[in-house]
Amino acid sequence: MLSRSRLLPHISSLMCKRTFKTNGCRAVLFDIDGVLIRGKKKIKGATESLIRLQEARIPFAFLTNGGGVLESVKTKQLMDILNEEQAKKIELSPEHMILSHSPMKALLDKHRGDKILIIGDHDSAKVAREYGFTNAVGVKDFFHQNPHIHAKSANKVKMSTIEQSVKEYEENNLTQPFKAVFVMHDPEDFGRDLQICMDVLLSRGSPGSPFHLDDQEVDLYMSNPDLLYSGTYSTPRFGQGLFKLCLQSVYKEMNKRDLRLNQFGKPEKVTYEFAEKKLEKIASELGYNKVDVIYAVGDNPAADVRGANNAGHHYQSVLVRTGVFSSPESNDRADPAKHVVQDVNEFVDKLINKGL
């Protein structure tokens, strides 16, 4: 038991921490690929930068256009890449992680029980079901039930694999029309997924039935508009944005109408509004009563910089040179950032020393 002399300071400390909040603070929203890591390798100074922010009690979170897994899985993946003894000092939870499809949770009120086609590799369909979309059907599962829908992909798969496909859905569920398509991550099989997605959109949600070239009845939601992203390869690679362009082009060619879609991910404002609420909660837990300014750090001008520049006056865009942006120019011409730095380490130096 603590003595009275030791107990009073302890109570006082708790009251200051939990009851009396300080004024506003600065906060940071980090992109991941091209800022903290490239592929499965960390960028120099990433771990130290996060530790320094934590020690300075500056709230931060991660906003990535990546996805296909739960926020808890992505958090562990990041920590594994930052893996070193000092990385254990970083206190992270899934609440710090915002994926491209995290804001899609807001669609539960509209689509909770609807049959939804999930496009994306990894565990995208499982993620959708974890979010509460109980009738989410993965594109691979649907394909295994209907292998002739894309013959070239069927030829690549052993029939035994298709026949052994896990039957997670009741037979009557397979006859129900799809009400929506969620593109939650990059397609695993581009041609197959493009075909199936188009079949759903043009058949009023019932692939195999005649195409109805009229108003679009199936809702389409996409999580990531990035045409390019920075990975392990030396130059940027095509991302989900290429799938979007193909869908739009094919739909217009088939239907003579524009494809109607709802876009999430950076640079969409809805994504930054979602991220701001997350940062406000993190800041509140640190004892701040508001967030005055959010530094959004990214490597992709068309996504990270444009998104921050359009998100509101309290956002300030920060562009690093360790990812997509590698131009010798002092800034990006199409989407100029408020601040341009060499890497995350230089950004944190300037932030802590109030050089921004």
Side-chain angles (χ1 to χ4, degrees):
M1 181 179 294
L2 291 173
S3 65
R4 179 181 176 83
S5 61
R6 295 178 62 192
L7 184 60
L8 288 176
H10 180 68
I11 294 175
S12 176
S13 174
L14 287 176
M15 291 178 66
C16 289
K17 191 173 184 179
R18 299 181 181 178
T19 306
F20 302 107
K21 293 188 176 181
T22 63
N23 292 325
C25 66
R26 300 169 298 165
V28 183
L29 199 56
F30 284 111
D31 183 29
I32 296 178
D33 294 301
V35 176
L36 300 172
I37 65 175
R38 286 196 66 148
K40 296 186 180 299
K41 294 184 178 181
K42 69 174 181 176
I43 290 174
K44 184 178 180 180
T47 305
E48 296 83 357
S49 295
L50 296 180
I51 292 173
R52 291 175 67 194
L53 286 180
Q54 184 173 281
E55 291 175 345
R57 298 183 64 254
I58 297 176
F60 63 87
F62 307 102
L63 178 62
T64 173
N65 270 352
V69 295
L70 287 169
E71 289 77 4
S72 57
V73 174
K74 186 67 175 181
T75 302
K76 184 179 183 307
Q77 289 175 350
L78 176 60
M79 291 301 293
D80 286 345
I81 295 174
L82 298 177
N83 184 25
E84 55 185 65
E85 199 60 33
Q86 57 180 336
K88 297 176 182 178
K89 300 177 184 177
I90 305 173
E91 297 176 6
L92 296 183
S93 76
E95 287 298 309
H96 290 83
M97 186 63 65
I98 305 160
L99 303 175
S100 62
H101 46 65
S102 296
M104 285 183 168
K105 297 172 186 177
L107 298 172
L108 272 172
D109 289 343
K110 183 177 182 180
H111 291 296
R112 186 185 303 271
D114 289 343
K115 185 178 177 182
I116 303 168
L117 178 68
I118 305 297
I119 304 288
D121 59 6
H122 301 314
D123 296 322
S124 297
K126 292 180 181 179
V127 171
R129 290 192 284 271
E130 285 286 338
Y131 281 1
F133 299 99
T134 54
N135 212 359
V137 180
V139 67
K140 181 185 284 187
D141 295 318
F142 180 78
F143 166 70
H144 279 186
Q145 298 286 354
N146 305 270
H148 297 295
I149 199 168
H150 194 253
K152 289 187 177 180
S153 293
N155 291 337
K156 298 175 186 177
V157 182
K158 294 180 180 179
M159 287 307 297
S160 59
T161 303
I162 293 177
E163 291 166 1
Q164 293 170 10
S165 179
V166 179
K167 298 187 184 232
E168 298 183 19
Y169 317 104
E170 298 292 337
E171 287 299 323
N172 62 352
N173 180 56
L174 295 174
T175 63
Q176 294 175 2
F178 288 101
K179 296 297 184 182
V181 177
F182 286 14
V183 184
M184 297 184 68
H185 200 258
D186 298 354
E188 183 179 56
D189 183 325
F190 200 99
R192 178 198 70 190
D193 296 354
L194 182 64
Q195 177 72 73
I196 294 175
C197 188
M198 196 57 57
D199 281 345
V200 170
L201 292 171
L202 292 174
S203 66
R204 295 177 179 171
S206 299
S209 64
F211 288 165
H212 297 274
L213 302 181
D214 50 18
D215 289 341
Q216 180 183 338
E217 292 190 8
V218 177
D219 291 323
L220 172 63
Y221 303 93
M222 303 195 74
S223 66
N224 175 6
D226 285 355
L227 179 62
L228 298 172
Y229 72 95
S230 178
T232 305
Y233 196 68
S234 57
T235 56
R237 301 290 84 194
F238 288 127
Q240 193 184 125
L242 181 62
F243 190 66
K244 173 182 174 179
L245 290 176
C246 289
L247 281 175
Q248 290 173 318
S249 178
V250 174
Y251 188 87
K252 184 72 176 268
E253 182 68 23
M254 294 286 294
N255 208 17
K256 310 306 177 188
R257 300 168 185 261
D258 290 330
L259 177 65
R260 189 184 74 249
L261 64 88
N262 303 275
Q263 185 69 67
F264 290 86
K266 298 179 289 186
E268 299 301 314
K269 192 167 185 178
V270 63
T271 292
Y272 285 85
E273 291 171 348
F274 183 88
E276 186 173 348
K277 291 178 181 177
K278 285 279 189 180
L279 276 174
E280 287 173 348
K281 181 179 179 182
I282 294 170
S284 177
E285 291 171 352
L286 288 174
Y288 300 106
N289 59 20
K290 62 177 180 175
V291 175
D292 292 324
V293 59
I294 299 172
Y295 293 95
V297 186
D299 69 303
N300 189 336
D304 304 309
V305 174
R306 185 181 302 171
N309 287 348
N310 295 334
H313 67 278
H314 46 293
Y315 272 94
Q316 290 196 25
S317 54
V318 181
L319 182 60
V320 297
R321 295 179 176 275
T322 49
V324 171
F325 182 72
S326 58
S327 169
E329 300 279 344
S330 61
N331 206 335
D332 186 72
R333 294 186 180 184
D335 294 287
K338 178 77 173 177
H339 311 280
V340 180
V341 294
Q342 187 62 36
D343 53 26
V344 66
N345 194 50
E346 181 183 341
F347 161 71
V348 171
D349 270 343
K350 289 186 174 182
L351 179 66
I352 291 178
N353 295 320
K354 299 185 178 179
L356 291 177

